[in-house]
Amino acid sequence: MTLAPNGAAVNEHSSADVVIDRLGKRYGPEWAGVQAVADVDLTIASGEFVAVVGASGCGKSTVLRILAGFEPATSGSISVGGRPVTGPAPERGVVFQDYGLFPWLTVRENVAYGPRRRRLPKVRAAELADRFIETVGLSRFAEKYPGQLSGGMQQRVAIARVLANEPQVLLMDEPFGALDALTRSDLQTELKRIHVETKTTVVFVTHSIEEAVFLADRVVVMTGGASHGVPGHISRIVTIDLPGERDITGPEFNEYKREISDLVHAVAGHV
Ligand SMILES: Nc1ncnc2c1ncn2[C@@H]1O[C@H](COP(=O)(O)OP(=O)(O)OP(=O)(O)O)[C@@H](O)[C@H]1O
Ligand SMILES: [Mg+2]
């Protein structure tokens, strides 16, 4: 049985959005490769916000790339909305640390690109683009090119571009890692609002424990990895039982931070 953020039991076949079942990934051949992750089990309810933290090399990006459909698992399975993941799809939007925008297209054209590829009529694609450009607060910049925007603004465009595909799941790999602290904190607040507004399921990989506790309903802690001699795996899942608006200076917030930090830094095999 799985528990939703509110503690209610989740029927895995109706409201579960992402089901990761004994996932394993080996890079390279059986006799010389690296078992990057093993036995990863995780069920994420529809609309849930899950953060994934863990030391470098524990396999966070590997799990996210498999979820995105960019590479296959070598064991186990993943399904999203009841359908097995076999490759990339617009219903799974991906945002990386580098924005990946097309520099020769304007903000509006970048955001309308996905809907156009889905063969939506031009007017409908433009409507979707404008709606999500507004969501990320960039309406005044719709005609600009990415090179004319700051890093934080470019990341906003990248988020709008993914949202315009109306994804069921948003997969984010250290999306704010390259931003200065102030911009990062603005975008965290904005992402939280967007999550409440769109009810999209989010899987968010980050090195920042504070960011994870601020954003997530549950924080998945991974440990292990090649340098520890054991494959990366989930060592603990911490449910963040705090209100939507979170006071990052409050005692409960800091208690969660300390607990997760201890888990992240625990030597693999001892947890
Ligand atoms: N394409 C690849 N080929 C071979 N090994 C790989 C490949 N990608 C990742 N690995 C290995 O798999 C393990 C997990 O890597 P991964 O990038 O998933 O870690 P991570 O948790 O995202 O780390 P970081 O926090 O540094 O981003 C590492 O040992 C890494 O060297
Ligand atoms: Mg990574």
Side-chain angles (χ1 to χ4, degrees):
M1 189 181 72
T2 311
L3 296 182
N6 61 7
V10 172
N11 176 335
E12 299 199 350
H13 299 290
S14 61
S15 57
D17 212 5
V18 178
V19 180
I20 303 177
D21 187 20
R22 301 199 76 75
L23 179 79
K25 176 70 182 180
R26 167 173 279 275
Y27 291 105
E30 191 66 43
W31 43 273
V34 178
Q35 185 72 35
V37 294
D39 290 335
V40 173
D41 278 321
L42 181 63
T43 300
I44 302 174
S46 185
E48 199 180 357
F49 196 126
V50 166
V52 182
V53 299
S56 186
C58 69
K60 305 179 295 298
S61 297
T62 295
V63 172
L64 209 77
R65 283 200 303 270
I66 297 171
L67 255 174
F70 295 155
E71 50 185 292
T74 45
S75 54
S77 65
I78 292 195
S79 65
V80 171
R83 289 180 298 279
V85 171
T86 53
E91 75 211 27
R92 277 169 278 121
V94 187
V95 180
F96 293 111
Q97 183 168 324
D98 57 9
Y99 322 117
L101 302 174
F102 300 122
W104 60 88
L105 297 181
T106 64
V107 166
R108 180 179 284 116
E109 289 164 346
N110 263 286
V111 179
Y113 181 84
R116 289 294 285 157
R117 278 204 60 180
R118 285 190 289 144
R119 301 185 188 286
L120 293 188
K122 213 168 187 165
V123 175
R124 173 80 182 124
E127 270 171 24
L128 274 174
D130 285 342
R131 175 171 143 215
F132 287 107
I133 290 169
E134 192 184 340
T135 300
V136 298
L138 286 181
S139 297
R140 288 193 302 121
F141 299 87
E143 302 300 331
K144 301 276 189 215
Y145 289 88
Q148 298 172 292
L149 305 178
S150 71
M153 291 159 93
Q154 290 187 54
Q155 194 55 297
R156 285 191 163 90
V157 179
I159 293 170
R161 189 175 59 164
V162 162
L163 291 175
N165 287 325
E166 300 176 285
Q168 190 176 348
V169 181
L170 197 52
L171 304 170
M172 309 182 92
D173 196 349
E174 298 186 45
F176 306 149
L179 304 175
D180 66 89
L182 207 62
T183 309
R184 185 171 187 154
S185 140
D186 282 351
L187 277 178
Q188 287 165 357
T189 306
E190 210 154 293
L191 177 62
K192 205 156 184 168
R193 180 180 55 74
I194 289 169
H195 175 245
V196 170
E197 254 175 51
T198 61
K199 300 182 182 65
T200 310
T201 306
V202 183
V203 186
F204 187 101
V205 169
T206 178
H207 271 125
S208 163
I209 292 169
E210 179 166 304
E211 183 167 76
V213 177
F214 180 71
L215 289 171
D217 299 312
R218 287 190 297 161
V219 177
V220 171
V221 180
M222 291 184 69
T223 48
S227 58
H228 294 276
V230 288
H233 57 279
I234 295 177
S235 57
R236 194 78 68 85
I237 299 177
V238 179
T239 299
I240 309 296
D241 191 12
L242 291 175
E245 298 273 322
R246 292 180 186 174
D247 171 13
I248 62 169
T249 59
E252 293 110 325
F253 191 94
N254 281 294
E255 190 45 49
Y256 278 119
K257 264 174 71 179
R258 191 166 323 124
E259 177 186 355
I260 293 166
S261 174
D262 287 349
L263 290 167
V264 166
H265 295 110
V267 179
H270 291 233
V271 277

